[in-house]
Amino acid sequence: MVVKLRVYRVLLAVITICVWPSAFGQDSLITVTAEKGDGILSLLRKQGADPYEIYDDFIAMNVDNLRDSVQLYAGRDYKIPPFRVDTVAVVDSIAKTSKAIKKITGKEFAIFGSEHASVLVKSEKLKDAVYYLVSGHGGPDPGAMANYGGTQIAEDEYAYDITLRLAKELLAHSATVYVIIRDENDGIRDDSILKIDHDEVAYGGKTIPLNQTARLKQRVDIVNELHRKNRGKFQRLIVTHIDSRSKGQNIDVFFYHHEKSKNGKKLAESIHTTFQKKYKKYQPNRKYTGTFKDRTSLYLVKKTHPAMTFIELGNIKNKKDQRRILNVDNRQALAKWIAEGVLLDYEGGEIGHIR
Ligand SMILES: [Zn+2]
């Protein structure tokens, strides 16, 4: 096995940007054995792949061999989907080659952190769309907090990580993306425990106030101001929290919108539909109980001007949800699914005049 892999790596270094199937054919798919501690991302990275590129394919190919559809079993064999060698952060000899290619093809966004800064454009589907992404809380306000095995974890760090992952997905489809709550030194983090800090600022380098009303008003004002500047363009706002208020046995993902906004409703519905499909495909035995509905009472839903959805990705205080949110593969999957819903919403176009 080891020998076989080494041969492929050498070949990879030579052929660089070649797509695997054309070079090797279907039967040359590699299979690797998961070691203790391997996650899907680390397993794919070890093979020299950009894990985010082939994540979905990996899940689809190995779905019968995964716990909760996202966890590997140590000691089992997994098929690796074909991949391109381009944006890779890799091992051995390919590392240098791929870095050189990365410079040519990827655009760099420092906000994602050095390891994730490069965004490879996949399509131009969203080139006329503008997205405002607001992760819940931040700055002096950590949001909901919980104790995880003796360590304090905070909602704002996880909402932020998922929001950055979503931003990256949307940028890959050529969207204009404003990350409204920002932490200049965190970036996308692949750890399960995300350290709590308080240095997040609002777009434009503004300090986030402690007072709740002032804090919410600040982000509302920023979004509405940008919305004015981008008048006439297709614009959407996505707010992300992990402190779901809904009570029940199965806490899932909830999408809220303004009752009077048809486009907000369509956005919420599009992401909701995408989640339903994904659950059906990847977790057929798990009942998806998420929903989407009007929640005009929420300050951000009420006061912001772009069509928007307010997403609750579970509750960080809930033990089951912690498992889901602390797992980096899950955070990536959630971001990807939201992005797919966003694409679906965009394809459906604007209902009525673009404001
Ligand atoms: Zn929250």
Side-chain angles (χ1 to χ4, degrees):
M1 180 88 284
V2 174
V3 173
K4 195 174 165 198
L5 281 176
R6 202 156 284 153
V7 170
Y8 279 113
R9 283 202 182 131
V10 173
L11 281 171
L12 275 173
V14 178
I15 58 167
T16 57
I17 330 187
C18 199
V19 180
W20 275 63
S22 56
F24 299 106
Q26 271 307 66
D27 54 353
S28 61
L29 279 181
I30 33 174
T31 304
V32 289
T33 309
E35 286 164 28
K36 206 164 169 249
D38 270 340
I40 295 176
L41 296 182
S42 63
L43 187 85
L44 295 178
R45 226 177 253 128
K46 276 190 219 164
Q47 302 312 312
D50 175 352
Y52 301 117
E53 272 305 307
I54 57 170
Y55 185 86
D56 279 359
D57 293 340
F58 179 87
I59 301 237
M61 275 179 181
N62 295 286
V63 69
D64 299 332
N65 217 358
L66 297 167
R67 180 159 38 89
D68 289 343
S69 306
V70 285
Q71 316 276 6
L72 303 173
Y73 291 98
R76 291 201 189 167
D77 290 339
Y78 292 91
K79 292 180 204 114
I80 305 293
F83 60 88
R84 292 183 306 164
V85 188
D86 40 24
T87 57
V88 218
V90 220
V91 274
D92 330 334
S93 57
I94 339 173
K96 279 174 201 142
T97 323
S98 61
K99 258 193 194 135
I101 295 164
K102 194 171 168 178
K103 273 192 188 125
I104 304 162
T105 54
K107 258 198 197 163
E108 302 280 320
F109 294 86
I111 193 76
F112 299 134
S114 51
E115 273 179 45
H116 291 274
S118 180
V119 176
L120 191 76
V121 173
K122 291 184 212 165
S123 86
E124 293 202 320
K125 282 181 192 164
L126 299 175
K127 72 175 163 47
D128 296 322
V130 178
Y131 293 94
Y132 308 106
L133 307 184
V134 175
S135 54
H137 313 279
D141 169 28
M145 296 188 71
N147 184 300
Y148 183 81
T151 309
Q152 285 283 93
I153 52 171
E155 177 193 358
D156 72 330
E157 303 294 341
Y158 291 89
Y160 183 61
D161 189 73
I162 292 166
T163 296
L164 286 186
R165 291 170 190 273
L166 170 61
K168 197 167 174 175
E169 287 293 321
L170 300 179
L171 285 168
H173 292 289
S174 309
T176 300
V177 179
Y178 294 91
V179 178
I180 304 297
I181 302 304
R182 315 170 61 86
D183 187 322
E184 300 298 333
N185 55 24
D186 272 348
I188 291 174
R189 290 175 282 177
D190 290 335
D191 314 300
S192 52
I193 299 287
L194 302 184
K195 219 176 116 255
I196 301 172
D197 60 23
H198 303 285
D199 59 353
E200 294 88 7
V201 294
Y203 184 82
K206 296 187 172 105
T207 305
I208 300 174
L210 180 59
N211 174 277
Q212 156 137 319
T213 315
R215 195 182 70 237
L216 296 178
K217 186 175 183 304
Q218 179 189 53
R219 49 195 78 182
V220 167
D221 290 346
I222 292 169
V223 168
N224 288 348
E225 172 66 24
L226 289 167
H227 180 251
R228 241 190 321 274
K229 276 192 191 155
N230 285 308
R231 191 180 296 136
K233 292 183 185 161
F234 182 98
Q235 306 185 54
R236 296 287 188 261
L237 162 65
I238 298 162
V239 179
T240 314
H241 281 256
I242 318 176
D243 54 352
S244 170
R245 274 143 284 212
S246 55
K247 294 195 177 73
Q249 291 300 84
N250 287 310
I251 314 262
D252 265 297
V253 180
F254 292 83
F255 307 95
Y256 301 111
H257 60 89
H258 193 292
E259 68 173 328
K260 290 201 179 121
S261 170
K262 288 186 180 128
N263 285 304
K265 185 180 176 198
K266 180 164 73 71
L267 174 64
E269 203 168 12
S270 300
I271 305 174
H272 172 65
T273 307
T274 305
F275 271 66
Q276 277 176 320
K277 269 191 234 143
K278 296 293 179 180
Y279 271 74
K280 223 171 170 182
K281 184 173 165 196
Y282 296 136
Q283 311 201 358
N285 300 324
R286 202 178 142 206
K287 200 171 169 270
Y288 170 73
T289 57
T291 183
F292 84 100
K293 56 188 165 201
D294 150 53
R295 202 26 131 39
T296 311
S297 58
L298 293 171
Y299 189 91
L300 260 94
V301 177
K302 192 159 60 182
K303 301 278 188 187
T304 49
H305 296 161
M308 66 95 68
T309 183
F310 185 109
I311 308 178
E312 287 178 348
L313 295 164
N315 191 330
I316 201 152
K317 287 178 179 288
N318 176 295
K319 287 286 163 211
K320 264 193 203 160
D321 286 359
Q322 279 173 8
R323 270 215 310 264
R324 179 164 71 182
I325 297 297
L326 264 63
N327 182 300
V328 60
D329 290 336
N330 287 357
R331 292 203 297 277
Q332 181 60 25
L334 288 169
K336 219 171 156 134
W337 295 0
I338 297 170
E340 284 183 36
V342 166
L343 279 161
L344 186 66
D345 165 62
Y346 183 77
E347 283 158 14
E350 191 88 321
I351 303 169
H353 289 296
I354 292 183
R355 290 195 291 173

